[in-house]
């Protein structure tokens, strides 16, 4: 009887170690940073506008590009049950593209995600039955420096909200030599300076920002822009050519800038 008890104890210990090891192997997946979506529902994804998703592990927020629109939302990795992940409150901007089928597949897949498993250099997102619905691969983006910010930029979006046609188009112009920035927020002219943290070429912070005091019929866009400017701590290249994304301290997108077309005299 005593021998049976010892064998049972050893068996339980082995199972516990085995389970613990498996959980650790699954749970160590580092979701931080940005990931290309390379497969959705069994269909390979590629191309210049391929979707991606970024994870901010500090705030448990996600951001990215769904194929046409920018996306933002929240995610949760279960700390008690290894290999479980879910997405919530996923929202997108509302642009229309010629083909929305890929974007719809991405959003449908994210809605079904309940788990994950790492396979080599990719991560499979799975539904509640363990079926693969999406495959992610770590995204490598070209490095950007302050030189990439030089010149005039149109403010294309704030958060997930695309800025539509306005009487006065919001914009920012960076003067690198003087470390000054000027432009307008949709109604009022704004001026100020910018700086970087030593050793961090993609860091950015605005300071001493002042604006004129005009009142316009709709000030909401301007308020959103000014609030976003206060939170800027960095920048990165955007999803499309000649775009820059301004980021907060956690690396989440605040505003998207698009290179302004120079006027021909």
């Amino acid at each position: 009887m005593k021998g049976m008890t010892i064998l049972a104890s050893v068996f339980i210990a082995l199972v516990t170690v085995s389970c613990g090891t498996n959980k650790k192997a699954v749970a160590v997946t580092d979701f931080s940073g940005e990931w290309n979506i390379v497969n959705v529902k069994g269909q390979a994804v590629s191309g210049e506008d391929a979707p991606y998703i970024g994870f901010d592990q500090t705030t448990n927020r996600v951001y990215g590009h769904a194929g046409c629109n920018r996306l933002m939302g929240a995610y949760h990795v279960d700390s008690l049950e290894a290999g479980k992940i879910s997405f919530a409150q996923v929202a997108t901007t509302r642009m229309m593209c010629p083909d929305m089928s890929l974007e719809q597949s991405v959003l449908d897949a994210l809605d079904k995600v309940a788990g994950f498993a790492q396979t080599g250099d990719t991560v499979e997102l799975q539904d509640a039955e363990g079926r693969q619905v999406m495959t992610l691969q770590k995204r490598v983006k070209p490095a950007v420096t302050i030189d990439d910010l030089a010149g005039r930029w149109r403010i294309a979006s704030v958060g997930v909200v695309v800025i539509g046609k306005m009487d006065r188009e919001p914009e920012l112009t960076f003067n690198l030599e003087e470390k000054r920035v000027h432009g307008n927020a949709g109604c009022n002219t704004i001026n100020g300076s910018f700086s970087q943290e030593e050793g961090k070429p993609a860091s950015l912070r605005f300071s001493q920002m002042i604006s004129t005091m005009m009142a316009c019929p709709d000030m909401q866009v301007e308020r959103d822009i000014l609030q976003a400017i206060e939170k800027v701590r960095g920048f990165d290249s955007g999803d499309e050519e000649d775009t820059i994304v301004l980021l907060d301290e956690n690396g989440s997108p605040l505003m998207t800038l698009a290179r302004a077309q120079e006027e021909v005299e």
Side-chain angles (χ1 to χ4, degrees):
M1 184 70 180
K2 184 176 180 181
M4 291 290 292
T5 303
I6 293 174
L7 286 174
S9 299
V10 170
F11 175 76
I12 292 171
L14 288 173
V15 171
T16 302
V17 170
S18 176
C19 291
T21 303
N22 289 338
K23 285 186 177 182
K24 185 177 180 182
V26 176
V28 292
T29 299
D30 181 8
F31 281 101
S32 63
E34 297 179 352
W35 300 73
N36 287 321
I37 299 173
V38 296
N39 190 293
V40 183
K41 298 179 179 179
Q43 298 295 315
V45 177
S46 62
E48 193 172 312
D49 296 325
Y52 78 93
I53 187 167
F55 295 82
D56 180 349
Q57 292 187 305
T58 304
T59 61
N60 287 332
R61 302 291 296 175
V62 292
Y63 61 90
H65 192 261
C68 174
N69 287 281
R70 296 189 66 82
L71 68 84
M72 298 182 76
Y75 78 101
H76 173 70
V77 176
D78 197 322
S79 60
L80 299 178
E81 189 172 358
K84 298 297 182 183
I85 186 173
S86 59
F87 295 87
Q89 301 171 336
V90 175
T92 66
T93 51
R94 297 187 178 183
M95 295 188 297
M96 294 297 295
C97 295
D99 185 358
M100 303 289 288
S101 58
L102 173 59
E103 176 156 312
Q104 192 57 55
S105 293
V106 169
L107 297 177
D108 288 345
L110 287 175
D111 188 53
K112 292 180 172 65
V113 171
F116 67 91
Q118 184 142 13
T119 306
D121 64 345
T122 64
V123 172
E124 292 183 358
L125 300 183
Q126 304 166 338
D127 64 16
E129 283 71 45
R131 295 180 298 234
Q132 177 186 346
V133 296
M134 184 180 291
T135 303
L136 309 179
Q137 188 170 47
K138 198 71 171 182
R139 190 178 195 219
V140 180
K141 298 180 69 175
V144 294
T145 69
I146 198 67
D147 292 336
D148 295 304
L149 279 178
R152 187 164 67 94
W153 299 83
R154 175 175 58 86
I155 301 175
S157 66
V158 182
V160 298
V161 180
V162 175
I163 296 177
K165 186 175 179 58
M166 298 181 64
D167 292 336
R168 193 178 189 195
E169 187 175 64
E171 63 177 46
L172 293 174
T173 297
F174 291 84
N175 184 322
L176 301 189
E177 291 184 2
E178 300 178 4
K179 293 189 176 180
R180 300 286 299 174
V181 60
H182 70 270
N184 78 83
C187 176
N188 286 282
T189 298
I190 54 177
N191 289 278
S193 60
F194 64 88
S195 61
Q196 294 186 284
E197 291 184 54
E198 186 175 353
K200 295 184 178 181
S203 63
L204 181 70
R205 182 191 290 261
F206 296 100
S207 59
Q208 300 175 332
M209 297 296 293
I210 60 174
S211 69
T212 53
M213 302 292 287
M214 294 188 299
C216 296
D218 184 3
M219 300 289 289
Q220 187 59 51
V221 170
E222 177 153 315
R223 284 192 290 268
D224 292 342
I225 289 173
L226 295 177
Q227 288 174 4
I229 283 175
E230 290 182 1
K231 299 175 183 177
V232 171
R233 296 295 181 268
F235 64 99
D236 202 350
S237 55
D239 301 321
E240 301 174 9
E241 186 177 359
D242 288 333
T243 62
I244 289 287
V245 180
L246 302 185
L247 311 170
D248 66 14
E249 62 183 356
N250 299 312
S252 297
L254 290 168
M255 290 195 296
T256 300
L257 308 181
R259 177 70 70 180
Q261 298 295 321
E262 297 299 329
E263 296 181 0
V264 179
E265 296 184 359

